[in-house]
Amino acid sequence: MLYRKMPKNGDELSVLGFGAMRLPTKEDGSIDEKIATDMVRYSIDNGVNYVDTAWPYHMGESEPFLARALADGYREKVKLATKQPQWMVKNYEDMDRFLNAQLEKLNTDQIDYYLIHSLVKSSWENIRDLGVMEFLDKAKADGRIVNAGFSYHGAPEDFEPIIDAYDWDFCQIQYNFLDEDVQAGTKGLEYAASKGLGVVIMEPLRGGNLADPVPDEVMDIWNEADARRSPVEWALRWVWNRPEVTVVLSGMSEPAHVEENLRIANEALPDSLTEKELRLVERVANKYQDLMEVGCTGCRYCMPCPEGVDIPACFEMYNNLHMFDDEDRLMMMYAAKLGGILRGSETNFASQCTECGQCVDACPQNLPVPELLEKVSETFEGPGLGERMEFAKQLFSDDSC
């Protein structure tokens, strides 16, 4: 495992961090604790020493899960990060209440890296006016947190003022080869580093969209490279190529992801990609931009939808329809999955959207979700949906499926 130094405190952190937002789950959606615990501990045994979670991950179960996974001496081997759910904070006292609850949920005396979660300009101004800077100073002084930071999902122009507003130790930004000019972007990465902040990266694979399956047009470009690397390796190596990056979080959801990410992390030196390789990645980025219709990362901040729409699943299928030559299967899968047949649940169709706007406020990508859901509905729910649902019921009614 390679390590990089957190600038302000000198912590030697593994370049690969374990992100606990996309843990393996059972059919009912709950965390598969046995597999997830094995993954977390195997990662730590192989050098990972930074573990990241947050209040809402896995519908509130990620933090207590990690308390159990980090038992038996594993807590002492890692720096633990979690986040204040600032959208739930109504007054100064709430900040203490949430932090104390998180300490209890995580079964720890202190949070090594504590972030104000998912800031944009308006949420920063709100939490700032409620006294968050004074709260962070107090929590650091009394030892409940060690390092203070924030995660960012706002506009590019609003990032630097937040950096300059407080003596932050670190920040967390979305960064991958499709998002150089999105949110904080490359400019924000460089600015934060110039101010002495450590930079933790989220969404290096853009919610898995840069991993398998890969569109044929994209794979054709990857296959031109002299070095044979998987799409995941190209994406991660591109982020780690930046010397300003301290830690890259990976939301690993199966043991194979852990193995692959650990292997890549052992070779993730800064400035190790050649100019020829960087140009190749740029060509891949341009091709993805041509193919992708919706910039959804699958973070699920928009969920649950009050009308039952599975928004990330709708967008995933819509993007896949435009990226892959697999229309018949995807039309069937939409009927089966969103029609509740595979899940044994109520329907989760895009057409159930009532444009309440809750998802728009929650989306860190600032997507016009209702408008996009209308396009999904027009694409997948036209003539033939009823027949596909009936066929799916027959296809998936066999007990062996």
Side-chain angles (χ1 to χ4, degrees):
M1 176 63 63
L2 297 177
Y3 297 84
R4 298 188 186 182
K5 186 174 292 186
M6 186 63 72
K8 288 193 175 182
N9 62 26
D11 281 349
E12 294 283 347
L13 301 180
S14 55
V15 295
L16 175 65
F18 197 109
M21 186 173 80
R22 293 184 171 97
L23 298 167
T25 57
K26 300 178 180 179
E27 289 186 3
D28 63 1
S30 64
I31 297 170
D32 191 321
E33 192 138 339
K34 173 63 168 64
I35 296 175
T37 299
D38 288 347
M39 288 168 54
V40 170
R41 294 187 174 186
Y42 182 81
S43 298
I44 296 169
D45 289 340
N46 284 273
V48 170
N49 69 358
Y50 189 92
V51 179
D52 170 271
T53 185
W55 181 278
Y57 292 174
H58 284 278
M59 305 302 288
E61 290 304 311
S62 179
E63 289 176 321
F65 158 75
L66 277 181
R68 297 185 291 272
L70 295 177
D72 304 322
Y74 280 88
R75 171 66 183 92
E76 291 71 29
K77 298 178 180 180
V78 301
K79 300 298 184 183
L80 182 59
T82 194
K83 308 174 186 75
Q84 178 199 84
Q86 49 79 16
W87 58 91
M88 300 171 69
V89 172
K90 306 304 179 186
N91 51 54
Y92 184 90
E93 291 71 26
D94 279 349
M95 300 184 207
D96 277 315
R97 183 169 63 85
F98 280 114
L99 175 55
N100 291 335
Q102 288 173 295
L103 290 167
E104 183 175 352
K105 289 168 71 177
L106 287 161
N107 191 28
T108 190
D109 294 328
Q110 64 180 197
I111 307 299
D112 301 299
Y113 287 85
Y114 195 65
L115 303 94
I116 309 304
H117 198 174
S118 193
L119 288 183
V120 299
K121 180 181 179 181
S122 59
S123 60
W124 164 243
E125 291 172 347
N126 177 65
I127 200 72
R128 178 200 63 196
D129 293 346
L130 290 176
V132 73
M133 291 184 281
E134 293 81 359
F135 161 76
L136 291 172
D137 286 342
K138 184 182 77 168
K140 291 178 75 171
D142 64 30
R144 286 178 295 166
I145 68 174
V146 182
N147 301 283
F150 67 95
S151 64
Y152 188 72
H153 283 294
E157 65 271 16
D158 298 326
F159 181 69
E160 292 184 12
I162 298 176
I163 290 284
D164 293 338
Y166 181 70
D167 186 19
W168 304 103
D169 298 295
F170 72 113
C171 64
Q172 183 169 309
I173 63 172
Q174 176 173 316
Y175 195 61
N176 55 69
F177 65 69
L178 287 184
D179 292 330
E180 286 196 82
D181 300 311
V182 174
Q183 298 182 24
T186 299
K187 183 181 177 183
L189 169 68
E190 294 174 346
Y191 188 76
S194 75
K195 293 293 185 176
L197 275 69
V199 184
V200 177
I201 301 300
M202 56 184 160
E203 303 291 0
L205 302 177
R206 218 173 197 247
N209 287 321
L210 303 181
D212 293 328
V214 176
D216 291 340
E217 299 97 320
V218 171
M219 203 67 220
D220 287 342
I221 300 174
W222 286 139
N223 287 335
E224 293 179 23
D226 296 329
R228 292 303 176 189
R229 298 178 178 131
S230 70
V232 169
E233 182 169 0
W234 278 112
L236 292 177
R237 288 285 297 271
W238 185 90
V239 178
W240 275 316
N241 197 60
R242 299 292 312 218
E244 302 92 345
V245 169
T246 310
V247 176
V248 173
L249 296 174
S250 181
M252 297 170 278
S253 56
E254 58 184 70
H257 295 165
V258 177
E259 292 282 3
E260 182 175 24
N261 284 199
L262 287 170
R263 177 186 61 78
I264 301 166
N266 288 330
E267 304 170 0
L269 292 169
D271 298 318
S272 59
L273 296 183
T274 68
E275 285 300 319
K276 182 179 179 181
E277 289 172 331
L278 290 172
R279 289 195 298 271
L280 186 84
V281 176
E282 184 178 2
R283 288 175 55 206
V284 168
N286 291 336
K287 179 55 67 176
Y288 266 116
Q289 296 289 3
D290 291 342
L291 295 171
M292 195 174 292
E293 293 291 315
V294 181
C296 174
T297 69
C299 70
R300 302 190 72 83
Y301 285 10
C302 57
M303 299 295 287
C305 166
E307 302 302 326
V309 181
D310 189 333
I311 300 168
C314 287
F315 290 161
E316 179 184 10
M317 291 192 184
Y318 190 62
N319 274 334
N320 286 344
L321 189 68
H322 286 85
M323 288 192 292
F324 307 111
D325 184 20
D326 203 7
E327 180 177 351
D328 290 343
R329 186 186 71 85
L330 287 166
M331 296 293 283
M332 179 60 66
M333 288 304 298
Y334 183 90
K337 188 174 182 179
L338 281 301
I341 298 162
L342 280 179
R343 300 170 171 177
S345 63
E346 300 296 321
T347 59
N348 309 119
F349 288 136
S351 58
Q352 294 168 216
C353 172
T354 60
E355 301 185 18
C356 70
Q358 177 176 306
C359 52
V360 177
D361 295 335
C363 179
Q365 313 303 324
N366 300 308
L367 298 176
V369 178
E371 296 175 26
L372 294 169
L373 286 174
E374 185 175 357
K375 292 183 179 179
V376 175
S377 176
E378 291 172 353
T379 300
F380 286 99
E381 298 182 39
L385 175 63
E387 289 83 351
R388 288 191 293 274
M389 288 186 67
E390 286 302 318
F391 182 74
K393 289 177 183 177
Q394 299 174 26
L395 182 64
F396 295 108
S397 64
D398 191 301
D399 293 338
S400 65
C401 293

